[in-house]
PDB file of all heavy atoms in Angstrom:
ATOM      1  N   TYR A   1     -14.488  -1.326   2.417  1.00 98.00           N
ATOM      2  CA  TYR A   1     -13.296  -1.922   3.017  1.00 98.00           C
ATOM      3  C   TYR A   1     -13.489  -3.423   3.135  1.00 98.00           C
ATOM      4  O   TYR A   1     -14.585  -3.904   3.452  1.00 98.00           O
ATOM      5  CB  TYR A   1     -13.048  -1.362   4.413  1.00 98.00           C
ATOM      6  CG  TYR A   1     -12.325  -0.042   4.442  1.00 98.00           C
ATOM      7  CD1 TYR A   1     -12.997   1.127   4.808  1.00 98.00           C
ATOM      8  CD2 TYR A   1     -10.976   0.041   4.123  1.00 98.00           C
ATOM      9  CE1 TYR A   1     -12.333   2.349   4.852  1.00 98.00           C
ATOM     10  CE2 TYR A   1     -10.302   1.255   4.163  1.00 98.00           C
ATOM     11  CZ  TYR A   1     -10.986   2.403   4.529  1.00 98.00           C
ATOM     12  OH  TYR A   1     -10.331   3.601   4.563  1.00 98.00           O
ATOM     13  N   MET A   2     -12.437  -4.165   2.868  1.00 98.00           N
ATOM     14  CA  MET A   2     -12.447  -5.574   3.212  1.00 98.00           C
ATOM     15  C   MET A   2     -12.636  -5.659   4.726  1.00 98.00           C
ATOM     16  O   MET A   2     -11.961  -4.963   5.485  1.00 98.00           O
ATOM     17  CB  MET A   2     -11.135  -6.237   2.776  1.00 98.00           C
ATOM     18  CG  MET A   2     -11.148  -7.742   2.803  1.00 98.00           C
ATOM     19  SD  MET A   2      -9.561  -8.452   2.214  1.00 98.00           S
ATOM     20  CE  MET A   2      -9.647  -8.014   0.478  1.00 98.00           C
ATOM     21  N   ARG A   3     -13.543  -6.470   5.172  1.00 98.00           N
ATOM     22  CA  ARG A   3     -14.004  -6.473   6.562  1.00 98.00           C
ATOM     23  C   ARG A   3     -12.829  -6.492   7.548  1.00 98.00           C
ATOM     24  O   ARG A   3     -11.910  -7.301   7.445  1.00 98.00           O
ATOM     25  CB  ARG A   3     -14.910  -7.681   6.813  1.00 98.00           C
ATOM     26  CG  ARG A   3     -15.472  -7.775   8.218  1.00 98.00           C
ATOM     27  CD  ARG A   3     -16.445  -8.921   8.356  1.00 98.00           C
ATOM     28  NE  ARG A   3     -16.917  -9.051   9.719  1.00 98.00           N
ATOM     29  CZ  ARG A   3     -16.314  -9.808  10.635  1.00 98.00           C
ATOM     30  NH1 ARG A   3     -15.239 -10.517  10.318  1.00 98.00           N
ATOM     31  NH2 ARG A   3     -16.792  -9.863  11.870  1.00 98.00           N
ATOM     32  N   ASN A   4     -12.879  -5.550   8.506  1.00 98.00           N
ATOM     33  CA  ASN A   4     -11.932  -5.465   9.616  1.00 98.00           C
ATOM     34  C   ASN A   4     -10.486  -5.296   9.160  1.00 98.00           C
ATOM     35  O   ASN A   4      -9.551  -5.773   9.806  1.00 98.00           O
ATOM     36  CB  ASN A   4     -12.039  -6.699  10.520  1.00 98.00           C
ATOM     37  CG  ASN A   4     -13.341  -6.760  11.276  1.00 98.00           C
ATOM     38  OD1 ASN A   4     -14.165  -5.849  11.183  1.00 98.00           O
ATOM     39  ND2 ASN A   4     -13.561  -7.823  12.028  1.00 98.00           N
ATOM     40  N   THR A   5     -10.288  -4.581   8.043  1.00 98.00           N
ATOM     41  CA  THR A   5      -8.935  -4.334   7.548  1.00 98.00           C
ATOM     42  C   THR A   5      -8.820  -2.898   7.068  1.00 98.00           C
ATOM     43  O   THR A   5      -9.805  -2.151   6.994  1.00 98.00           O
ATOM     44  CB  THR A   5      -8.579  -5.264   6.367  1.00 98.00           C
ATOM     45  OG1 THR A   5      -9.273  -4.816   5.192  1.00 98.00           O
ATOM     46  CG2 THR A   5      -8.923  -6.728   6.653  1.00 98.00           C
ATOM     47  N   ALA A   6      -7.603  -2.538   6.668  1.00 98.00           N
ATOM     48  CA  ALA A   6      -7.341  -1.268   5.992  1.00 98.00           C
ATOM     49  C   ALA A   6      -7.140  -1.498   4.497  1.00 98.00           C
ATOM     50  O   ALA A   6      -6.410  -0.761   3.835  1.00 98.00           O
ATOM     51  CB  ALA A   6      -6.115  -0.604   6.594  1.00 98.00           C
ATOM     52  N   ILE A   7      -7.782  -2.502   3.962  1.00 98.00           N
ATOM     53  CA  ILE A   7      -7.702  -2.854   2.541  1.00 98.00           C
ATOM     54  C   ILE A   7      -8.988  -2.398   1.866  1.00 98.00           C
ATOM     55  O   ILE A   7     -10.080  -2.762   2.282  1.00 98.00           O
ATOM     56  CB  ILE A   7      -7.512  -4.372   2.362  1.00 98.00           C
ATOM     57  CG1 ILE A   7      -6.246  -4.844   3.086  1.00 98.00           C
ATOM     58  CG2 ILE A   7      -7.462  -4.742   0.889  1.00 98.00           C
ATOM     59  CD1 ILE A   7      -6.148  -6.347   3.239  1.00 98.00           C
ATOM     60  N   LEU A   8      -8.852  -1.589   0.821  1.00 98.00           N
ATOM     61  CA  LEU A   8      -9.995  -0.952   0.176  1.00 98.00           C
ATOM     62  C   LEU A   8     -10.272  -1.608  -1.169  1.00 98.00           C
ATOM     63  O   LEU A   8      -9.350  -1.838  -1.963  1.00 98.00           O
ATOM     64  CB  LEU A   8      -9.710   0.541  -0.018  1.00 98.00           C
ATOM     65  CG  LEU A   8     -10.864   1.422  -0.487  1.00 98.00           C
ATOM     66  CD1 LEU A   8     -11.977   1.458   0.541  1.00 98.00           C
ATOM     67  CD2 LEU A   8     -10.359   2.839  -0.773  1.00 98.00           C
ATOM     68  N   GLU A   9     -11.533  -1.880  -1.426  1.00 98.00           N
ATOM     69  CA  GLU A   9     -11.946  -2.474  -2.693  1.00 98.00           C
ATOM     70  C   GLU A   9     -12.904  -1.524  -3.418  1.00 98.00           C
ATOM     71  O   GLU A   9     -13.875  -1.033  -2.825  1.00 98.00           O
ATOM     72  CB  GLU A   9     -12.656  -3.810  -2.461  1.00 98.00           C
ATOM     73  CG  GLU A   9     -11.755  -4.877  -1.852  1.00 98.00           C
ATOM     74  CD  GLU A   9     -12.492  -6.182  -1.613  1.00 98.00           C
ATOM     75  OE1 GLU A   9     -13.702  -6.142  -1.290  1.00 98.00           O
ATOM     76  OE2 GLU A   9     -11.850  -7.246  -1.747  1.00 98.00           O
ATOM     77  N   THR A  10     -12.631  -1.273  -4.698  1.00 98.00           N
ATOM     78  CA  THR A  10     -13.473  -0.415  -5.520  1.00 98.00           C
ATOM     79  C   THR A  10     -13.852  -1.180  -6.779  1.00 98.00           C
ATOM     80  O   THR A  10     -12.975  -1.745  -7.447  1.00 98.00           O
ATOM     81  CB  THR A  10     -12.738   0.878  -5.919  1.00 98.00           C
ATOM     82  OG1 THR A  10     -12.220   1.517  -4.755  1.00 98.00           O
ATOM     83  CG2 THR A  10     -13.681   1.834  -6.644  1.00 98.00           C
ATOM     84  N   ILE A  11     -15.127  -1.216  -7.109  1.00 98.00           N
ATOM     85  CA  ILE A  11     -15.612  -1.867  -8.328  1.00 98.00           C
ATOM     86  C   ILE A  11     -16.093  -0.787  -9.286  1.00 98.00           C
ATOM     87  O   ILE A  11     -16.949   0.036  -8.934  1.00 98.00           O
ATOM     88  CB  ILE A  11     -16.736  -2.864  -8.018  1.00 98.00           C
ATOM     89  CG1 ILE A  11     -16.205  -4.015  -7.152  1.00 98.00           C
ATOM     90  CG2 ILE A  11     -17.335  -3.419  -9.315  1.00 98.00           C
ATOM     91  CD1 ILE A  11     -17.274  -4.999  -6.707  1.00 98.00           C
ATOM     92  N   LEU A  12     -15.521  -0.775 -10.484  1.00 98.00           N
ATOM     93  CA  LEU A  12     -15.913   0.165 -11.532  1.00 98.00           C
ATOM     94  C   LEU A  12     -16.725  -0.573 -12.584  1.00 98.00           C
ATOM     95  O   LEU A  12     -16.387  -1.703 -12.960  1.00 98.00           O
ATOM     96  CB  LEU A  12     -14.678   0.795 -12.186  1.00 98.00           C
ATOM     97  CG  LEU A  12     -13.677   1.501 -11.266  1.00 98.00           C
ATOM     98  CD1 LEU A  12     -12.507   2.050 -12.090  1.00 98.00           C
ATOM     99  CD2 LEU A  12     -14.337   2.600 -10.461  1.00 98.00           C
ATOM    100  N   SER A  13     -17.781   0.070 -13.065  1.00 97.00           N
ATOM    101  CA  SER A  13     -18.644  -0.520 -14.094  1.00 97.00           C
ATOM    102  C   SER A  13     -18.807   0.473 -15.233  1.00 97.00           C
ATOM    103  O   SER A  13     -18.871   1.692 -15.010  1.00 97.00           O
ATOM    104  CB  SER A  13     -20.022  -0.856 -13.527  1.00 97.00           C
ATOM    105  OG  SER A  13     -19.931  -1.672 -12.371  1.00 97.00           O
ATOM    106  N   ASP A  14     -18.871  -0.054 -16.477  1.00 96.00           N
ATOM    107  CA  ASP A  14     -19.162   0.824 -17.602  1.00 96.00           C
ATOM    108  C   ASP A  14     -20.621   0.655 -18.036  1.00 96.00           C
ATOM    109  O   ASP A  14     -21.366  -0.156 -17.467  1.00 96.00           O
ATOM    110  CB  ASP A  14     -18.181   0.596 -18.755  1.00 96.00           C
ATOM    111  CG  ASP A  14     -18.318  -0.776 -19.394  1.00 96.00           C
ATOM    112  OD1 ASP A  14     -19.352  -1.431 -19.216  1.00 96.00           O
ATOM    113  OD2 ASP A  14     -17.358  -1.189 -20.087  1.00 96.00           O
ATOM    114  N   ALA A  15     -21.015   1.411 -19.040  1.00 94.00           N
ATOM    115  CA  ALA A  15     -22.416   1.422 -19.455  1.00 94.00           C
ATOM    116  C   ALA A  15     -22.866   0.090 -20.034  1.00 94.00           C
ATOM    117  O   ALA A  15     -24.065  -0.199 -20.085  1.00 94.00           O
ATOM    118  CB  ALA A  15     -22.633   2.542 -20.478  1.00 94.00           C
ATOM    119  N   GLU A  16     -21.921  -0.753 -20.466  1.00 95.00           N
ATOM    120  CA  GLU A  16     -22.260  -2.042 -21.059  1.00 95.00           C
ATOM    121  C   GLU A  16     -22.193  -3.187 -20.058  1.00 95.00           C
ATOM    122  O   GLU A  16     -22.347  -4.347 -20.436  1.00 95.00           O
ATOM    123  CB  GLU A  16     -21.329  -2.318 -22.236  1.00 95.00           C
ATOM    124  CG  GLU A  16     -21.461  -1.295 -23.351  1.00 95.00           C
ATOM    125  CD  GLU A  16     -20.488  -1.543 -24.490  1.00 95.00           C
ATOM    126  OE1 GLU A  16     -19.662  -2.481 -24.370  1.00 95.00           O
ATOM    127  OE2 GLU A  16     -20.546  -0.812 -25.487  1.00 95.00           O
ATOM    128  N   GLY A  17     -21.932  -2.876 -18.792  1.00 94.00           N
ATOM    129  CA  GLY A  17     -21.900  -3.904 -17.757  1.00 94.00           C
ATOM    130  C   GLY A  17     -20.548  -4.537 -17.528  1.00 94.00           C
ATOM    131  O   GLY A  17     -20.431  -5.471 -16.714  1.00 94.00           O
ATOM    132  N   ASN A  18     -19.499  -4.082 -18.204  1.00 97.00           N
ATOM    133  CA  ASN A  18     -18.151  -4.571 -17.918  1.00 97.00           C
ATOM    134  C   ASN A  18     -17.696  -4.033 -16.562  1.00 97.00           C
ATOM    135  O   ASN A  18     -17.983  -2.880 -16.222  1.00 97.00           O
ATOM    136  CB  ASN A  18     -17.181  -4.123 -19.007  1.00 97.00           C
ATOM    137  CG  ASN A  18     -17.592  -4.613 -20.381  1.00 97.00           C
ATOM    138  OD1 ASN A  18     -17.780  -5.816 -20.576  1.00 97.00           O
ATOM    139  ND2 ASN A  18     -17.745  -3.689 -21.331  1.00 97.00           N
ATOM    140  N   GLN A  19     -16.991  -4.866 -15.812  1.00 97.00           N
ATOM    141  CA  GLN A  19     -16.589  -4.474 -14.461  1.00 97.00           C
ATOM    142  C   GLN A  19     -15.144  -4.858 -14.169  1.00 97.00           C
ATOM    143  O   GLN A  19     -14.644  -5.878 -14.662  1.00 97.00           O
ATOM    144  CB  GLN A  19     -17.481  -5.152 -13.409  1.00 97.00           C
ATOM    145  CG  GLN A  19     -18.893  -4.619 -13.325  1.00 97.00           C
ATOM    146  CD  GLN A  19     -19.636  -5.192 -12.140  1.00 97.00           C
ATOM    147  OE1 GLN A  19     -19.450  -6.356 -11.779  1.00 97.00           O
ATOM    148  NE2 GLN A  19     -20.482  -4.385 -11.519  1.00 97.00           N
ATOM    149  N   VAL A  20     -14.503  -4.024 -13.351  1.00 98.00           N
ATOM    150  CA  VAL A  20     -13.181  -4.344 -12.803  1.00 98.00           C
ATOM    151  C   VAL A  20     -13.201  -4.070 -11.307  1.00 98.00           C
ATOM    152  O   VAL A  20     -14.001  -3.264 -10.814  1.00 98.00           O
ATOM    153  CB  VAL A  20     -12.058  -3.520 -13.461  1.00 98.00           C
ATOM    154  CG1 VAL A  20     -12.005  -3.754 -14.961  1.00 98.00           C
ATOM    155  CG2 VAL A  20     -12.208  -2.035 -13.133  1.00 98.00           C
ATOM    156  N   LYS A  21     -12.318  -4.761 -10.596  1.00 98.00           N
ATOM    157  CA  LYS A  21     -12.163  -4.523  -9.157  1.00 98.00           C
ATOM    158  C   LYS A  21     -10.750  -4.042  -8.891  1.00 98.00           C
ATOM    159  O   LYS A  21      -9.779  -4.624  -9.384  1.00 98.00           O
ATOM    160  CB  LYS A  21     -12.441  -5.786  -8.348  1.00 98.00           C
ATOM    161  CG  LYS A  21     -12.306  -5.548  -6.829  1.00 98.00           C
ATOM    162  CD  LYS A  21     -12.774  -6.730  -6.007  1.00 98.00           C
ATOM    163  CE  LYS A  21     -11.778  -7.869  -6.027  1.00 98.00           C
ATOM    164  NZ  LYS A  21     -12.130  -8.929  -5.042  1.00 98.00           N
ATOM    165  N   ILE A  22     -10.650  -2.970  -8.100  1.00 98.00           N
ATOM    166  CA  ILE A  22      -9.359  -2.433  -7.656  1.00 98.00           C
ATOM    167  C   ILE A  22      -9.207  -2.750  -6.177  1.00 98.00           C
ATOM    168  O   ILE A  22     -10.097  -2.441  -5.376  1.00 98.00           O
ATOM    169  CB  ILE A  22      -9.286  -0.902  -7.861  1.00 98.00           C
ATOM    170  CG1 ILE A  22      -9.660  -0.516  -9.294  1.00 98.00           C
ATOM    171  CG2 ILE A  22      -7.906  -0.376  -7.501  1.00 98.00           C
ATOM    172  CD1 ILE A  22      -9.929   0.974  -9.461  1.00 98.00           C
ATOM    173  N   THR A  23      -8.101  -3.356  -5.811  1.00 98.00           N
ATOM    174  CA  THR A  23      -7.795  -3.638  -4.411  1.00 98.00           C
ATOM    175  C   THR A  23      -6.576  -2.823  -4.023  1.00 98.00           C
ATOM    176  O   THR A  23      -5.507  -2.965  -4.630  1.00 98.00           O
ATOM    177  CB  THR A  23      -7.521  -5.130  -4.186  1.00 98.00           C
ATOM    178  OG1 THR A  23      -8.658  -5.891  -4.629  1.00 98.00           O
ATOM    179  CG2 THR A  23      -7.265  -5.422  -2.710  1.00 98.00           C
ATOM    180  N   ASP A  24      -6.737  -1.947  -3.033  1.00 98.00           N
ATOM    181  CA  ASP A  24      -5.678  -1.024  -2.616  1.00 98.00           C
ATOM    182  C   ASP A  24      -5.279  -1.275  -1.173  1.00 98.00           C
ATOM    183  O   ASP A  24      -6.148  -1.418  -0.292  1.00 98.00           O
ATOM    184  CB  ASP A  24      -6.159   0.425  -2.732  1.00 98.00           C
ATOM    185  CG  ASP A  24      -6.305   0.884  -4.168  1.00 98.00           C
ATOM    186  OD1 ASP A  24      -5.359   0.683  -4.951  1.00 98.00           O
ATOM    187  OD2 ASP A  24      -7.366   1.449  -4.510  1.00 98.00           O
ATOM    188  N   PHE A  25      -3.970  -1.280  -0.906  1.00 98.00           N
ATOM    189  CA  PHE A  25      -3.493  -1.421   0.465  1.00 98.00           C
ATOM    190  C   PHE A  25      -2.017  -1.039   0.541  1.00 98.00           C
ATOM    191  O   PHE A  25      -1.324  -0.957  -0.480  1.00 98.00           O
ATOM    192  CB  PHE A  25      -3.694  -2.865   0.965  1.00 98.00           C
ATOM    193  CG  PHE A  25      -2.838  -3.887   0.267  1.00 98.00           C
ATOM    194  CD1 PHE A  25      -1.647  -4.337   0.823  1.00 98.00           C
ATOM    195  CD2 PHE A  25      -3.228  -4.407  -0.967  1.00 98.00           C
ATOM    196  CE1 PHE A  25      -0.857  -5.275   0.180  1.00 98.00           C
ATOM    197  CE2 PHE A  25      -2.450  -5.351  -1.625  1.00 98.00           C
ATOM    198  CZ  PHE A  25      -1.259  -5.789  -1.044  1.00 98.00           C
ATOM    199  N   ALA A  26      -1.566  -0.812   1.752  1.00 98.00           N
ATOM    200  CA  ALA A  26      -0.148  -0.652   2.041  1.00 98.00           C
ATOM    201  C   ALA A  26       0.264  -1.838   2.906  1.00 98.00           C
ATOM    202  O   ALA A  26      -0.410  -2.146   3.892  1.00 98.00           O
ATOM    203  CB  ALA A  26       0.118   0.663   2.774  1.00 98.00           C
ATOM    204  N   PRO A  27       1.314  -2.535   2.564  1.00 98.00           N
ATOM    205  CA  PRO A  27       1.649  -3.778   3.265  1.00 98.00           C
ATOM    206  C   PRO A  27       2.031  -3.535   4.722  1.00 98.00           C
ATOM    207  O   PRO A  27       2.798  -2.631   5.044  1.00 98.00           O
ATOM    208  CB  PRO A  27       2.833  -4.331   2.465  1.00 98.00           C
ATOM    209  CG  PRO A  27       3.427  -3.140   1.775  1.00 98.00           C
ATOM    210  CD  PRO A  27       2.273  -2.230   1.483  1.00 98.00           C
ATOM    211  N   ARG A  28       1.461  -4.363   5.584  1.00 98.00           N
ATOM    212  CA  ARG A  28       1.786  -4.332   7.004  1.00 98.00           C
ATOM    213  C   ARG A  28       1.564  -5.734   7.556  1.00 98.00           C
ATOM    214  O   ARG A  28       0.443  -6.254   7.518  1.00 98.00           O
ATOM    215  CB  ARG A  28       0.919  -3.325   7.761  1.00 98.00           C
ATOM    216  CG  ARG A  28       1.216  -3.276   9.263  1.00 98.00           C
ATOM    217  CD  ARG A  28       0.361  -2.248   9.989  1.00 98.00           C
ATOM    218  NE  ARG A  28       0.584  -2.319  11.409  1.00 98.00           N
ATOM    219  CZ  ARG A  28       1.557  -1.697  12.079  1.00 98.00           C
ATOM    220  NH1 ARG A  28       2.397  -0.914  11.417  1.00 98.00           N
ATOM    221  NH2 ARG A  28       1.697  -1.826  13.380  1.00 98.00           N
ATOM    222  N   PHE A  29       2.638  -6.351   8.073  1.00 97.00           N
ATOM    223  CA  PHE A  29       2.507  -7.698   8.622  1.00 97.00           C
ATOM    224  C   PHE A  29       3.775  -8.042   9.402  1.00 97.00           C
ATOM    225  O   PHE A  29       4.795  -7.351   9.310  1.00 97.00           O
ATOM    226  CB  PHE A  29       2.262  -8.739   7.520  1.00 97.00           C
ATOM    227  CG  PHE A  29       3.196  -8.655   6.347  1.00 97.00           C
ATOM    228  CD1 PHE A  29       4.432  -9.289   6.354  1.00 97.00           C
ATOM    229  CD2 PHE A  29       2.824  -7.942   5.209  1.00 97.00           C
ATOM    230  CE1 PHE A  29       5.295  -9.214   5.270  1.00 97.00           C
ATOM    231  CE2 PHE A  29       3.676  -7.859   4.116  1.00 97.00           C
ATOM    232  CZ  PHE A  29       4.907  -8.500   4.144  1.00 97.00           C
ATOM    233  N   LYS A  30       3.676  -9.100  10.168  1.00 94.00           N
ATOM    234  CA  LYS A  30       4.807  -9.548  10.976  1.00 94.00           C
ATOM    235  C   LYS A  30       5.766 -10.342  10.104  1.00 94.00           C
ATOM    236  O   LYS A  30       5.364 -11.233   9.359  1.00 94.00           O
ATOM    237  CB  LYS A  30       4.319 -10.404  12.144  1.00 94.00           C
ATOM    238  CG  LYS A  30       3.467  -9.640  13.142  1.00 94.00           C
ATOM    239  CD  LYS A  30       2.967 -10.517  14.275  1.00 94.00           C
ATOM    240  CE  LYS A  30       2.091  -9.725  15.237  1.00 94.00           C
ATOM    241  NZ  LYS A  30       1.553 -10.572  16.330  1.00 94.00           N
TER     242      LYS A  30
END
């Protein structure tokens, strides 16, 4: 989780070292 939030981060890696980051959340704000 992104610190002190409900925002989730996932990093995927393949066998050759390529990487992507997924950031997931549902919007909530004033």
Side-chain angles (χ1 to χ4, degrees):
Y1 277 109
M2 193 178 291
R3 181 175 177 270
N4 292 357
T5 74
I7 302 167
L8 189 64
E9 296 179 326
T10 307
I11 296 176
L12 305 179
S13 306
D14 66 18
E16 298 177 356
N18 301 305
Q19 288 188 324
V20 301
K21 181 172 75 170
I22 308 166
T23 303
D24 289 311
F25 67 98
R28 179 179 175 85
F29 49 86
K30 295 179 181 178

